[in-house]
Amino acid sequence: MSQHALSALLSPSAVVVVGGSDRPGSVGAVVVSNLINGGFAGAIHVVNPRPLALDGVKCWTDLADLPTDIDLAVVASPARTVPDVIAGLGERGVRIAMVITAGLTEENGLRPAMLAAAKASGLRIVGPNGLGLLAPHARLNASFTRGDATPGRLAFISQSGALITAMLDWARARRIGFSGVVSAGDMADADLADLIDLFNADPHTDAILLYIEGVTHAAKFMSAARAAARNKPVIAIKAGRTAAAGMAARSHTGALAGAYDVHACAFARAGIVMVETLEDLFDAAAVLGSTRARAGDRLAIVTNGGGAGVLTVDALDGVGARLAALAPETIASLEAHMPAGWSHADPIDLLGDAHADRYTAALETVLADPGVDAVLVMNCPTAVSTPEDIAEAVADVVAKARRRGVLKPVLACWLGDANAAAVRDLFAKAAVPLFDNPEAAARGFGYLLAAGRARLALTNAPVTRTDIVGDRTAVRLIFANAREAGRTLLNEVEAKTVLAAYGVPVIPTRFAPSIEAVEEACHILAPPYAIKIVSPDISHKSDVGGVALDLPTVRAATNAARAMRETIAARAPHAHLSGFAVESIAPPCGLEVIVGLTTDPIFGPVLMVGAGGTAVEILNDKALGLPPLNDAQARDMIARTRISRLLAGYRDVPAADIEGLARTIAALSALVVDFPDVLELDINPLRVGPDGVLALDARMVISPFSSPPSRLVIAPPPTDWTRDLSTRSGLAFHVRPVRPDDEAALAAFFAQLTPEDLRMRFLTGIHVVDHDRLALMTQIDYARTMTFLALEPGTETILAVSMLAKGADPSRAEIAVSVRSDLKGRGLGWTLMDHTLTYARAHGVETIESLESAENGAALRLEAEMGFSVRACPEDMSLRMVERHLTPLA
């Protein structure tokens, strides 16, 4: 179904309310009243089997009589009628229906019937069981909310109708406006990802707020959120923080990785800033709804109350901000306007007798300081001046600065309810976010910073990259043998063998099916020994006396095995004892860490690192990450744990091998990318010391099914599309998908293009391809975008580049190809484009399009040769729109 149809939510030409009514208090009557009172300029239609007469509304008793120029419907009819209503709307050409009716479920058959009716015509559905939508820029209130929303640049998507009402009430009191407010309802069709894509493309939206109860289609959600967060801040609150998850997991990792924590991990990876309370969401909305500027973390505070400034400073550290260090020139300039006894530093204490002129001088001065990224202006109520006078002065300075191109964010904090209420309208008109206490002001600035950091995290290329190629044949054989034996829980020896196949150092371990075999294994290994039970029925061996350590002799080891067999028989009589794992004891050098993997029901494989050992659940020191991971992301996981401070070394204790720990995390990431079979995995403990890492124990659970589908929600590089190709002229080259660390090589490639070729590629007169453009080609979401590099054989020298971008609609994609200027005319562009089109076909793309300069004769001839149609661009006659429809691969 088309994503394009969703645009009618924000700018419909005409609206129909099916189930609209004149009965006071009914949902249908409220929706119609809100549409009329909101001032919607398009035609409003109502369908009700009972004849109605409503001023300014065209009323119909039969759907079949509706005109065919309506693109948005609001459905409020009884649940049993909705499938037929959707079918009728589709026949009349309606593009999208906001279904606010509840009671359409799988159990009663109404939900699948509704979706089948929509699919027949391609109509999109938002809902059911929603509150409706508001698009203030179109003066559209198609909801049954109380009151309206003013136009602004903040989008709000909510899975709770009650939260929409609360948000609108809060925003009205603070004069904050919206570009759109959508109640997602049960998300039978259009989901969070679709709505995020809608507002990402909306020119009226600068930031997106989300209230989330549950994510559906997690991979699609992650792609949409990552795409949006590159362009504008995305802030989310997730309900259900205390919901238990992983209670039945057989691994430490599964028990520790709760659902809320996994959501937080996924949101961070997608570039979403997560908040924990409604108050936090409102603070974020206050800032993001008022300023479009991005800021560094150096904050200047201008205040007439020293205590208020100190309280703000106390709150800054917790939000990742710091005080600006004022330049000597700034202090000298301030000195001329300040009274004796002023602070001579940041916070700038204007003293309690400050009038508007003192605020004006201070604000103008600090805005000019290059060491100041943003300013917080504070006012404590006094009898010396009115809050309005000072607010007017601040607004005037901000307006003049913006006209000069100074876009540093300015926030205001007028302490006290009455003090803030007196200036709320004034600051709203000036687009200056207002808070009524220091802590809220600090949090608001913190969310502005967090949004900027999230965006940078999506575009900053890693400095290094670790290629981990495992012995897939060996791993595949171990999995097959376990399944043939009817097991999904690998024994310790098998699990360690899998880890070794991916480069994780493991302590030498032998499997002994009997006491006699324990003795034989000990003769092979060096003492002291460790003996552990091997049982498919016992997950945590130490809990039932299944582990014996520091056994100095072979006799001690065999005696321990005999005693262990008797203990297990008594404590776990129903457990099958397969044998024993025998290993050498590693020298006690280093810290015990856990590295693991579990499978979340929504977000799929989740990696974990933290403090290990037998008290792992009690310590609860963990950081989570979603695979695939690069080196920088693995190191970031480690840095978020408490044990990382010990790993870094202290006093006379040397630093541990943190890079080795990061490689271990990367190895688990590579393993689960290659083998979706792995459902749970613990390396506990992983000994991490100055000389390296060593896996002392491991356990692994695999799927009972061979070759299960991947559950990754972030697509890894499709390395199976690597090829050695040659052109018709015999030019050989190597093609592979781009990697994030290719940015420098790609910059070097574009540096070799002629100015004319650069202009043709980017349709603008640039001389250097900057980081932002390079990041779009290298830091990509492989689910939506593909960049292929054509390399000189045996080197990393780029000869040509093709980029395919699908965007929100997976059936359509744009293509762009660049060839090194000195290699043109040798068939390189044709061959690389053909490879890219084959990839597009294999991934469901139906239409390929490109925008070319009318002067780019070589590209236009190539595309015509490859079956593209060419037509002039109606918006710009100097451009040509090139399009080709692809036939699906058989």
Side-chain angles (χ1 to χ4, degrees), residues 591 611 621 641-650 653-656 658 688:
L591 294 167
D621 175 25
T641 64
R642 296 192 300 276
I643 200 173
S644 64
R645 287 171 281 182
L646 298 178
L647 293 169
Y650 56 97
V653 178
I658 294 177
V688 185

PDB file of all heavy atoms in Angstrom, residues 591 611 621 641-650 653-656 658 688:
ATOM      1  N   LEU A 591      39.575  -9.260  35.496  1.00  0.00           N
ATOM      2  CA  LEU A 591      38.235  -9.094  36.044  1.00  0.00           C
ATOM      3  C   LEU A 591      37.263 -10.028  35.340  1.00  0.00           C
ATOM      4  O   LEU A 591      37.429 -10.354  34.160  1.00  0.00           O
ATOM      5  CB  LEU A 591      37.773  -7.645  35.859  1.00  0.00           C
ATOM      6  CG  LEU A 591      38.562  -6.590  36.640  1.00  0.00           C
ATOM      7  CD1 LEU A 591      38.225  -5.193  36.135  1.00  0.00           C
ATOM      8  CD2 LEU A 591      38.262  -6.703  38.124  1.00  0.00           C
ATOM      9  N   ALA A 611      29.381  -6.609  34.376  1.00  0.00           N
ATOM     10  CA  ALA A 611      30.116  -7.328  35.409  1.00  0.00           C
ATOM     11  C   ALA A 611      29.603  -8.748  35.477  1.00  0.00           C
ATOM     12  O   ALA A 611      28.392  -8.987  35.537  1.00  0.00           O
ATOM     13  CB  ALA A 611      29.953  -6.627  36.754  1.00  0.00           C
ATOM     14  N   ASP A 621      24.889  -4.937  36.476  1.00  0.00           N
ATOM     15  CA  ASP A 621      25.707  -3.946  35.772  1.00  0.00           C
ATOM     16  C   ASP A 621      25.766  -4.372  34.321  1.00  0.00           C
ATOM     17  O   ASP A 621      26.439  -5.347  33.971  1.00  0.00           O
ATOM     18  CB  ASP A 621      27.114  -3.914  36.382  1.00  0.00           C
ATOM     19  CG  ASP A 621      28.059  -2.999  35.612  1.00  0.00           C
ATOM     20  OD1 ASP A 621      27.573  -2.064  34.954  1.00  0.00           O
ATOM     21  OD2 ASP A 621      29.277  -3.245  35.671  1.00  0.00           O
ATOM     22  N   THR A 641      29.112   0.678  31.200  1.00  0.00           N
ATOM     23  CA  THR A 641      29.034  -0.196  32.375  1.00  0.00           C
ATOM     24  C   THR A 641      29.836   0.392  33.531  1.00  0.00           C
ATOM     25  O   THR A 641      30.764   1.177  33.330  1.00  0.00           O
ATOM     26  CB  THR A 641      29.596  -1.599  32.051  1.00  0.00           C
ATOM     27  OG1 THR A 641      30.985  -1.485  31.741  1.00  0.00           O
ATOM     28  CG2 THR A 641      28.858  -2.218  30.871  1.00  0.00           C
ATOM     29  N   ARG A 642      29.487  -0.005  34.737  1.00  0.00           N
ATOM     30  CA  ARG A 642      30.249   0.445  35.907  1.00  0.00           C
ATOM     31  C   ARG A 642      31.612  -0.217  35.964  1.00  0.00           C
ATOM     32  O   ARG A 642      32.585   0.394  36.385  1.00  0.00           O
ATOM     33  CB  ARG A 642      29.457   0.144  37.185  1.00  0.00           C
ATOM     34  CG  ARG A 642      28.147   0.904  37.306  1.00  0.00           C
ATOM     35  CD  ARG A 642      27.558   0.784  38.694  1.00  0.00           C
ATOM     36  NE  ARG A 642      27.272  -0.580  39.087  1.00  0.00           N
ATOM     37  CZ  ARG A 642      26.158  -1.250  38.777  1.00  0.00           C
ATOM     38  NH1 ARG A 642      25.221  -0.650  38.047  1.00  0.00           N
ATOM     39  NH2 ARG A 642      25.964  -2.478  39.193  1.00  0.00           N
ATOM     40  N   ILE A 643      31.678  -1.471  35.509  1.00  0.00           N
ATOM     41  CA  ILE A 643      32.953  -2.191  35.589  1.00  0.00           C
ATOM     42  C   ILE A 643      33.996  -1.607  34.645  1.00  0.00           C
ATOM     43  O   ILE A 643      35.191  -1.867  34.788  1.00  0.00           O
ATOM     44  CB  ILE A 643      32.747  -3.703  35.304  1.00  0.00           C
ATOM     45  CG1 ILE A 643      33.933  -4.501  35.854  1.00  0.00           C
ATOM     46  CG2 ILE A 643      32.515  -3.962  33.828  1.00  0.00           C
ATOM     47  CD1 ILE A 643      33.757  -6.003  35.767  1.00  0.00           C
ATOM     48  N   SER A 644      33.569  -0.776  33.684  1.00  0.00           N
ATOM     49  CA  SER A 644      34.520  -0.183  32.741  1.00  0.00           C
ATOM     50  C   SER A 644      35.545   0.673  33.479  1.00  0.00           C
ATOM     51  O   SER A 644      36.691   0.813  33.033  1.00  0.00           O
ATOM     52  CB  SER A 644      33.790   0.657  31.690  1.00  0.00           C
ATOM     53  OG  SER A 644      33.142   1.771  32.288  1.00  0.00           O
ATOM     54  N   ARG A 645      35.152   1.259  34.608  1.00  0.00           N
ATOM     55  CA  ARG A 645      36.084   2.099  35.360  1.00  0.00           C
ATOM     56  C   ARG A 645      37.195   1.253  35.984  1.00  0.00           C
ATOM     57  O   ARG A 645      38.329   1.718  36.140  1.00  0.00           O
ATOM     58  CB  ARG A 645      35.334   2.875  36.437  1.00  0.00           C
ATOM     59  CG  ARG A 645      34.492   4.016  35.868  1.00  0.00           C
ATOM     60  CD  ARG A 645      33.595   4.652  36.899  1.00  0.00           C
ATOM     61  NE  ARG A 645      32.408   3.847  37.141  1.00  0.00           N
ATOM     62  CZ  ARG A 645      31.433   4.189  37.983  1.00  0.00           C
ATOM     63  NH1 ARG A 645      31.528   5.312  38.672  1.00  0.00           N
ATOM     64  NH2 ARG A 645      30.384   3.412  38.142  1.00  0.00           N
ATOM     65  N   LEU A 646      36.875   0.011  36.348  1.00  0.00           N
ATOM     66  CA  LEU A 646      37.914  -0.896  36.842  1.00  0.00           C
ATOM     67  C   LEU A 646      38.755  -1.415  35.688  1.00  0.00           C
ATOM     68  O   LEU A 646      39.972  -1.576  35.822  1.00  0.00           O
ATOM     69  CB  LEU A 646      37.268  -2.066  37.592  1.00  0.00           C
ATOM     70  CG  LEU A 646      36.448  -1.713  38.835  1.00  0.00           C
ATOM     71  CD1 LEU A 646      35.842  -2.971  39.442  1.00  0.00           C
ATOM     72  CD2 LEU A 646      37.302  -0.977  39.856  1.00  0.00           C
ATOM     73  N   LEU A 647      38.128  -1.692  34.563  1.00  0.00           N
ATOM     74  CA  LEU A 647      38.861  -2.193  33.397  1.00  0.00           C
ATOM     75  C   LEU A 647      39.884  -1.168  32.901  1.00  0.00           C
ATOM     76  O   LEU A 647      40.918  -1.534  32.339  1.00  0.00           O
ATOM     77  CB  LEU A 647      37.886  -2.527  32.258  1.00  0.00           C
ATOM     78  CG  LEU A 647      36.944  -3.705  32.490  1.00  0.00           C
ATOM     79  CD1 LEU A 647      35.867  -3.749  31.406  1.00  0.00           C
ATOM     80  CD2 LEU A 647      37.720  -5.016  32.500  1.00  0.00           C
ATOM     81  N   ALA A 648      39.613   0.113  33.119  1.00  0.00           N
ATOM     82  CA  ALA A 648      40.518   1.165  32.644  1.00  0.00           C
ATOM     83  C   ALA A 648      41.783   1.261  33.484  1.00  0.00           C
ATOM     84  O   ALA A 648      42.729   1.955  33.104  1.00  0.00           O
ATOM     85  CB  ALA A 648      39.791   2.508  32.640  1.00  0.00           C
ATOM     86  N   GLY A 649      41.838   0.560  34.618  1.00  0.00           N
ATOM     87  CA  GLY A 649      43.000   0.595  35.496  1.00  0.00           C
ATOM     88  C   GLY A 649      42.857   1.646  36.586  1.00  0.00           C
ATOM     89  O   GLY A 649      42.203   2.671  36.393  1.00  0.00           O
ATOM     90  N   TYR A 650      43.478   1.385  37.728  1.00  0.00           N
ATOM     91  CA  TYR A 650      43.427   2.325  38.844  1.00  0.00           C
ATOM     92  C   TYR A 650      44.601   2.032  39.779  1.00  0.00           C
ATOM     93  O   TYR A 650      45.045   0.899  39.917  1.00  0.00           O
ATOM     94  CB  TYR A 650      42.101   2.204  39.599  1.00  0.00           C
ATOM     95  CG  TYR A 650      41.798   0.807  40.097  1.00  0.00           C
ATOM     96  CD1 TYR A 650      42.096   0.439  41.415  1.00  0.00           C
ATOM     97  CD2 TYR A 650      41.225  -0.141  39.258  1.00  0.00           C
ATOM     98  CE1 TYR A 650      41.833  -0.839  41.872  1.00  0.00           C
ATOM     99  CE2 TYR A 650      40.958  -1.426  39.704  1.00  0.00           C
ATOM    100  CZ  TYR A 650      41.266  -1.769  41.009  1.00  0.00           C
ATOM    101  OH  TYR A 650      41.012  -3.040  41.466  1.00  0.00           O
ATOM    102  N   VAL A 653      46.976  -0.949  39.555  1.00  0.00           N
ATOM    103  CA  VAL A 653      46.361  -2.009  38.761  1.00  0.00           C
ATOM    104  C   VAL A 653      46.372  -1.574  37.293  1.00  0.00           C
ATOM    105  O   VAL A 653      45.802  -0.542  36.943  1.00  0.00           O
ATOM    106  CB  VAL A 653      44.914  -2.282  39.218  1.00  0.00           C
ATOM    107  CG1 VAL A 653      44.274  -3.354  38.338  1.00  0.00           C
ATOM    108  CG2 VAL A 653      44.902  -2.704  40.677  1.00  0.00           C
ATOM    109  N   PRO A 654      47.029  -2.350  36.412  1.00  0.00           N
ATOM    110  CA  PRO A 654      47.104  -1.941  35.007  1.00  0.00           C
ATOM    111  C   PRO A 654      45.750  -2.068  34.307  1.00  0.00           C
ATOM    112  O   PRO A 654      44.867  -2.801  34.761  1.00  0.00           O
ATOM    113  CB  PRO A 654      48.123  -2.916  34.407  1.00  0.00           C
ATOM    114  CG  PRO A 654      48.049  -4.129  35.286  1.00  0.00           C
ATOM    115  CD  PRO A 654      47.747  -3.617  36.670  1.00  0.00           C
ATOM    116  N   ALA A 655      45.616  -1.344  33.212  1.00  0.00           N
ATOM    117  CA  ALA A 655      44.382  -1.400  32.425  1.00  0.00           C
ATOM    118  C   ALA A 655      44.223  -2.766  31.789  1.00  0.00           C
ATOM    119  O   ALA A 655      45.196  -3.418  31.390  1.00  0.00           O
ATOM    120  CB  ALA A 655      44.411  -0.315  31.351  1.00  0.00           C
ATOM    121  N   ALA A 656      42.992  -3.214  31.716  1.00  0.00           N
ATOM    122  CA  ALA A 656      42.681  -4.490  31.070  1.00  0.00           C
ATOM    123  C   ALA A 656      42.600  -4.297  29.559  1.00  0.00           C
ATOM    124  O   ALA A 656      42.605  -3.170  29.049  1.00  0.00           O
ATOM    125  CB  ALA A 656      41.368  -5.033  31.615  1.00  0.00           C
ATOM    126  N   ILE A 658      40.728  -3.757  26.939  1.00  0.00           N
ATOM    127  CA  ILE A 658      39.384  -3.331  26.549  1.00  0.00           C
ATOM    128  C   ILE A 658      39.140  -3.583  25.070  1.00  0.00           C
ATOM    129  O   ILE A 658      38.023  -3.935  24.667  1.00  0.00           O
ATOM    130  CB  ILE A 658      39.186  -1.848  26.918  1.00  0.00           C
ATOM    131  CG1 ILE A 658      39.205  -1.682  28.448  1.00  0.00           C
ATOM    132  CG2 ILE A 658      37.867  -1.313  26.352  1.00  0.00           C
ATOM    133  CD1 ILE A 658      39.090  -0.252  28.922  1.00  0.00           C
ATOM    134  N   VAL A 688      39.001 -10.807  31.790  1.00  0.00           N
ATOM    135  CA  VAL A 688      39.587  -9.705  31.028  1.00  0.00           C
ATOM    136  C   VAL A 688      40.723  -9.127  31.844  1.00  0.00           C
ATOM    137  O   VAL A 688      40.506  -8.553  32.916  1.00  0.00           O
ATOM    138  CB  VAL A 688      38.544  -8.605  30.721  1.00  0.00           C
ATOM    139  CG1 VAL A 688      39.156  -7.535  29.808  1.00  0.00           C
ATOM    140  CG2 VAL A 688      37.303  -9.198  30.055  1.00  0.00           C
TER     141      VAL A 688
END
